[in-house]
Every structure is written in structure tokens, then in C-alpha cells.
Amino acid sequence: MNKQLKFNRDFYKDIQFWLGLAVLIVGAGSMVSEHATNIYFWLNIAMVILGAVTVVDDLILHRKPAKTSFNYNYLVKNKRQ
């Protein structure tokens, strides 16, 4: 199994999930009343896509970034002296 694509069990605790869900719902709800020739229809489609990407992104745990070779503790210790 790819370690980079683990399910985030605490997704509901993150504000990013709730904002993405709100954008998805608002975009889908307001898209119903617009015509396909209207610019707001296409903006609502963009909102739905953005909301869906945000929600899916929050459901996936991302791999931790690689550690750098730079030692910040060494810098802080030498700065005090």
C-alpha cells in the first residue's frame, strides 16, 4: 500500500474540510438557478470543483516532508553564546 495515500481519520476536526464542504454545497446550490450561458454558472462550476478538491485533499493524509540537513538547534545554541 502506498504510504502517501492513507485515509485521514480526523478529517472532520479540520477547518479545511468544512470550508471545502461549504463551498461545494453553496456552488452546487446556486448552480441550479443559473443558465449555462451565464458567467455565474461557470463560476459556480469552478466553486464545485474547488470544494470537491478541497474535501478530497483533506480526506487524504499527506506524507511528512523530508528532514533537512540543516540543524536549527545547533544554530540556536551557538547564537546564545
Side-chain angles (χ1 to χ4, degrees):
M1 183 174 157
N2 189 354
K3 293 181 180 180
Q4 189 174 3
L5 298 177
K6 286 189 175 180
F7 180 69
N8 183 7
R9 295 181 192 270
D10 296 326
F11 67 90
Y12 60 91
K13 294 180 182 179
D14 195 7
I15 191 70
Q16 179 182 350
F17 170 77
W18 295 109
L19 288 175
L21 191 63
V23 168
L24 180 68
I25 291 171
V26 168
S30 60
M31 187 171 52
V32 174
S33 63
E34 300 292 337
H35 296 287
T37 57
N38 196 344
I39 186 69
Y40 294 113
F41 176 80
W42 298 105
L43 290 175
N44 289 333
I45 287 181
M47 283 178 61
V48 168
I49 293 170
L50 178 67
V53 167
T54 305
V55 168
V56 169
D57 184 51
D58 199 48
L59 292 175
I60 298 171
L61 276 177
H62 297 284
R63 189 174 57 182
K64 294 180 181 178
K67 294 182 181 180
T68 60
S69 62
F70 187 73
N71 189 350
Y72 292 103
N73 292 329
Y74 178 77
L75 181 66
V76 171
K77 285 179 184 177
N78 287 339
K79 193 173 187 179
R80 289 185 210 163
Q81 294 175 354

